[in-house]
Amino acid sequence: MNFSIFRDNLQLLRQRYYYATWKADGTRYMMLITWDGCYVIDRNFCFQKVELRFPCKSTNKGIFEKTHHYTLLDGEMVIDIEPKTQKQERRYLIYDLIAINQVFIMERPFSERWIILENEVICGR
């Protein structure tokens, strides 16, 4: 649920658990990770291959045992400036995990999806 925090919306915050993050100034992308590559997908559904690899923490069987295959992330691409070098670095900030290794998990609570994301995607890198 997206909404601004105004006085009339405070009741909604009291009714359920919520998560908040800082507002990044980047471009929203879905990221599809497959055994043969990683792709970012923009809001116009244009795919662009990026040079990233996501090794699997858990062991699967067959050809996909070393890397994720059909894992879908939701996030934002930002450009950060390294404080020491002043060099611009492109970073993908992950907001949610939609599917992991061909298993759709959006029906699970966000807190559970976040734990899976940390354990199976982020820690593997």
Side-chain angles (χ1 to χ4, degrees), residues 67-112:
T67 187
H68 281 269
H69 186 57
Y70 289 113
T71 292
L72 184 62
L73 309 172
D74 184 15
E76 193 164 349
M77 189 72 71
V78 297
I79 298 177
D80 283 340
I81 297 176
E82 286 292 326
K84 292 180 182 177
T85 64
Q86 297 300 307
K87 182 179 176 185
Q88 292 184 345
E89 293 287 335
R90 195 176 302 261
R91 300 195 196 294
Y92 184 71
L93 307 178
I94 303 169
Y95 296 144
D96 205 351
L97 178 63
I98 311 303
I100 185 159
N101 293 317
Q102 304 180 57
V103 178
F104 181 75
I105 63 168
M106 280 304 295
E107 73 282 351
R108 296 185 188 187
F110 178 77
S111 58
E112 187 178 328

Side-chain angles (χ1 to χ4, degrees), residues 11 47 54 64 67 76 94 118 124:
Q11 186 59 32
F47 284 66
F54 288 86
F64 312 123
T67 187
E76 193 164 349
I94 303 169
E118 284 184 330

Side-chain angles (χ1 to χ4, degrees), residues 5-118:
I5 299 178
F6 293 111
R7 191 176 307 245
D8 54 337
N9 290 331
L10 288 178
Q11 186 59 32
L12 292 172
L13 295 176
R14 291 184 189 104
Q15 291 175 0
R16 58 178 79 169
Y17 290 109
Y18 62 93
Y19 293 83
T21 184
W22 59 281
K23 172 64 177 108
D25 192 19
T27 305
R28 191 75 178 259
Y29 288 103
M30 301 292 277
M31 182 178 285
L32 178 64
I33 306 165
T34 69
W35 67 271
D36 68 340
C38 184
Y39 304 85
V40 290
I41 309 157
D42 68 17
R43 291 176 187 242
N44 294 321
F45 211 62
C46 294
F47 284 66
Q48 183 176 352
K49 191 169 187 174
V50 293
E51 294 299 321
L52 289 173
R53 285 283 180 206
F54 288 86
C56 270
K57 180 179 172 189
S58 9
T59 56
N60 298 331
K61 295 178 181 169
I63 190 170
F64 312 123
E65 69 183 29
K66 295 188 183 191
T67 187
H68 281 269
H69 186 57
Y70 289 113
T71 292
L72 184 62
L73 309 172
D74 184 15
E76 193 164 349
M77 189 72 71
V78 297
I79 298 177
D80 283 340
I81 297 176
E82 286 292 326
K84 292 180 182 177
T85 64
Q86 297 300 307
K87 182 179 176 185
Q88 292 184 345
E89 293 287 335
R90 195 176 302 261
R91 300 195 196 294
Y92 184 71
L93 307 178
I94 303 169
Y95 296 144
D96 205 351
L97 178 63
I98 311 303
I100 185 159
N101 293 317
Q102 304 180 57
V103 178
F104 181 75
I105 63 168
M106 280 304 295
E107 73 282 351
R108 296 185 188 187
F110 178 77
S111 58
E112 187 178 328
R113 296 193 312 269
W114 189 258
I115 290 169
I116 295 169
L117 173 66
E118 284 184 330

